[in-house]
Amino acid sequence: MSLLTVRALVRSLGQRRLLAIDELCLSAGESCVLTGANGSGKSTLLRILAGIDAPDAGTGCFDGRPFGWSPYPDWLRKQVTYVHQQPYVFHSSVIDNVAYGLRARGVPRAERARRVEEALSWARLHHLLDSPPARLSGGEKQRLALARAWVLRPRLLLLDEPTASLDADSRRQTIELLRTFADAGTTAIIACHDRDVIELPAMRRLDLVDGRIITD
Amino acid sequence: MTLWDATLAALLLLVSGDRELWGIVGVSLSVTLRAMLVATPLGIAAGYLLATVAFPGRRLLIVLTQGLLASPTVVVGLILYLLLSRQGVFGELQLLFTQTAMIIGQVLIALPVLIAFSLSAIQGADPRARETAQALGASAPRIAWTLLLEVRFALMAAVCSAFGRIVSEIGCALMVGGNIAGVTRNMPTAIALETSKGDFAQGIALGIVLLLVALGINSAFAFFQGEARR
């Protein structure tokens, strides 16, 4: 069964068409890698699916339930998580960052603590608990952002170039984490050029050219 | 009395715990702190709305707020005096020459500073902060709270700046407070009065306290601005 279906999705900026997708269907548990040149619409698509930007037109259906884009429904916001190419970390603590989405969902304190602990172990962040999040390296911030997403067990995960501008070691660790997302059956769309990500097992590939999906 | 003698007498007044002098300091700080308690949430909320919500007339409101940053406090006092005087719209409330009138005046003076600085702080925040909060499923109030926490040092700088502006203003306090001893006489109005009477010692003593308060506030302002840039 399809988890996400979007049809006739259009987004323009002035005269320029950024996105024109006839149909995109994503099955539950499926992982997709989204490739395409700079400006092909990868980030635009992810930001629309995450409810950060709204399209000019298009229909959407999530788990059999139709939804509109503006306003993006709260129930869907709780199911979908998006991670920026260069993740933003809140100026609080590593633990508060990981717990943020759980607090937003009203998860009780004891369960929150247990899930945060598990996510910190998963992303190997324990040694950074006392570091101010803003001082973390690019790779550490990426792992923190992935832990922040992992702890929520989203039904749909959207990642924008998760391995871009990381050093070799951070890149390897990030790919390992992405593999566990896939192994856990998380439905994901990953905008990426990294061959090691594209070649992850059972990864479906979508190519975007000028805002259109040309290979699927 | 030479300037040196007056300064020595002023220091003596300060260290001897002169009841009248410290009473004036108390009125000043009490009125200003209460005004800040009212103005701060209002100003930050208005700054947040102006920064994040699109509505007709928003641009005009922003320009108006920025224009009011430099409004002469004596004009604010004059308008408030006309509103609160016996023939004024709010004359029946009998607020003229009370601390409440001074607080209202200080709130009106502080609001443009708080709104303009908050607006600037929130507009200057990294857009990914809001997007990340959204993407993690936060509700609109939680997103707002998160954003305010992210720019907290810039907001503290706004609070310091507004406090600095109202604690030392004289025009409005004199017009709507009336400089009544023990009730509405604050540091700036007392300095003006004592100096005009030739009692330089109390004027200098209050000037020293006001200067120290201003110095403390400006140091805090500089600290928070530095933290906000980090």
Side-chain angles (χ1 to χ4, degrees):
Chain A
M1 186 188 164
S2 171
L3 178 71
L4 174 74
T5 306
V6 292
R7 290 197 177 91
L9 199 65
V10 176
R11 165 90 169 162
S12 303
L13 188 67
Q15 295 296 311
R16 189 173 160 226
R17 180 148 290 191
L18 302 175
L19 209 59
I21 291 177
D22 296 331
E23 185 178 77
L24 171 63
C25 289
L26 212 61
S27 301
E30 188 175 33
S31 291
C32 289
V33 66
L34 192 62
T35 58
N38 289 340
S40 60
K42 300 189 297 296
S43 296
T44 306
L45 175 59
L46 293 186
R47 289 171 66 85
I48 288 173
L49 294 179
I52 292 171
D53 295 331
D56 302 322
T59 61
C61 186
F62 190 89
D63 207 11
R65 190 171 172 185
F67 64 88
W69 301 99
S70 187
Y72 191 80
D74 280 344
W75 63 264
L76 185 54
R77 215 177 271 294
K78 301 270 193 281
Q79 315 271 336
V80 179
T81 296
Y82 166 78
V83 179
H84 286 95
Q85 179 174 345
Q86 288 178 321
Y88 182 84
V89 291
F90 298 119
H91 295 80
S92 48
S93 67
V94 168
I95 287 179
D96 281 346
N97 266 275
V98 178
Y100 186 90
L102 296 175
R103 282 208 180 91
R105 284 159 178 74
V107 174
R109 183 188 291 257
E111 189 190 341
R112 199 166 67 214
R114 183 185 60 73
R115 285 169 67 174
V116 166
E117 180 63 28
E118 187 262 339
L120 290 169
S121 299
W122 174 79
R124 293 184 201 138
L125 287 168
H126 271 115
H127 66 290
L128 297 171
L129 291 187
D130 295 329
S131 308
R135 301 268 172 87
L136 300 181
S137 69
E140 290 164 346
K141 282 182 184 168
Q142 187 62 257
R143 272 160 47 216
L144 176 55
L146 289 175
R148 207 163 51 182
W150 172 263
V151 79
L152 298 175
R153 300 289 191 276
R155 302 209 42 214
L156 175 61
L157 176 67
L158 307 164
L159 300 172
D160 197 353
E161 303 277 3
T163 58
S165 56
L166 295 184
D167 61 39
D169 195 40
S170 297
R171 188 179 143 274
R172 185 185 51 74
Q173 291 181 33
T174 299
I175 291 172
E176 273 307 306
L177 296 179
L178 294 182
R179 196 190 301 274
T180 58
F181 263 115
D183 291 347
T186 309
T187 309
I189 303 180
I190 307 169
C192 198
H193 290 104
D194 193 320
R195 184 163 293 279
D196 288 337
V197 176
I198 295 169
E199 290 175 355
L200 281 174
M203 189 68 83
R204 176 180 161 196
R205 183 168 170 175
L206 300 169
D207 276 335
L208 266 181
V209 175
D210 294 334
R212 292 178 184 277
I213 295 175
I214 57 154
T215 41
D216 187 358
Chain B
M1 187 183 259
T2 63
L3 183 62
W4 176 244
D5 293 336
T7 307
L8 273 181
L11 291 173
L12 207 63
L13 272 177
L14 282 172
V15 294
S16 67
D18 181 80
R19 184 173 287 220
E20 189 191 344
L21 183 133
W22 287 107
I24 292 167
V25 174
V27 167
S28 224
L29 294 180
S30 158
V31 166
T32 301
L33 284 172
R34 282 183 286 162
M36 288 304 295
L37 277 177
V38 176
T40 300
L42 287 177
I44 291 176
Y48 182 83
L49 290 176
L50 281 175
T52 59
V53 181
F55 57 89
R58 173 176 169 267
R59 189 70 226 149
L60 183 71
L61 270 178
I62 291 175
V63 171
L64 193 68
T65 303
Q66 284 164 344
L68 287 173
L69 275 176
S71 61
T73 60
V74 71
V75 175
V76 177
L78 173 65
I79 294 167
L80 199 55
Y81 183 96
L82 295 174
L83 291 172
L84 297 179
S85 63
R86 198 168 291 175
Q87 285 83 28
V89 182
F90 302 111
E92 282 186 14
L93 298 175
Q94 297 188 327
L95 292 176
L96 199 60
F97 305 138
T98 63
Q99 287 193 1
T100 307
M102 293 170 79
I103 290 170
I104 295 170
Q106 293 200 347
V107 167
L108 293 176
I109 296 164
L111 272 177
V113 179
L114 285 162
I115 295 172
F117 276 55
S118 304
L119 170 71
S120 164
I122 294 158
Q123 281 183 329
D126 190 326
R128 292 174 305 159
R130 161 183 290 276
E131 293 172 5
T132 301
Q134 271 183 331
L136 292 170
S139 60
R142 186 177 286 273
I143 291 172
W145 180 244
T146 301
L147 211 55
L148 294 179
L149 280 180
E150 289 301 292
V151 297
R152 57 191 176 273
F153 290 115
L155 294 180
M156 287 306 294
V159 170
C160 291
S161 183
F163 187 98
R165 176 151 160 83
I166 63 175
V167 76
S168 59
E169 77 82 23
I170 183 169
C172 183
L174 198 58
M175 292 199 75
V176 301
N179 202 14
I180 302 167
V183 183
T184 59
R185 183 166 297 168
N186 67 5
M187 287 192 275
T189 59
I191 291 170
L193 177 74
E194 300 306 334
T195 307
S196 70
K197 282 179 5 194
D199 184 358
F200 295 111
Q202 194 173 64
I204 291 172
L206 288 168
I208 290 170
V209 177
L210 195 54
L211 210 60
L212 288 174
V213 170
L215 205 66
I217 286 296
N218 279 309
S219 304
F221 176 78
F223 169 78
F224 288 125
Q225 272 208 323
E227 287 294 312
R229 285 199 199 98
R230 282 171 63 176

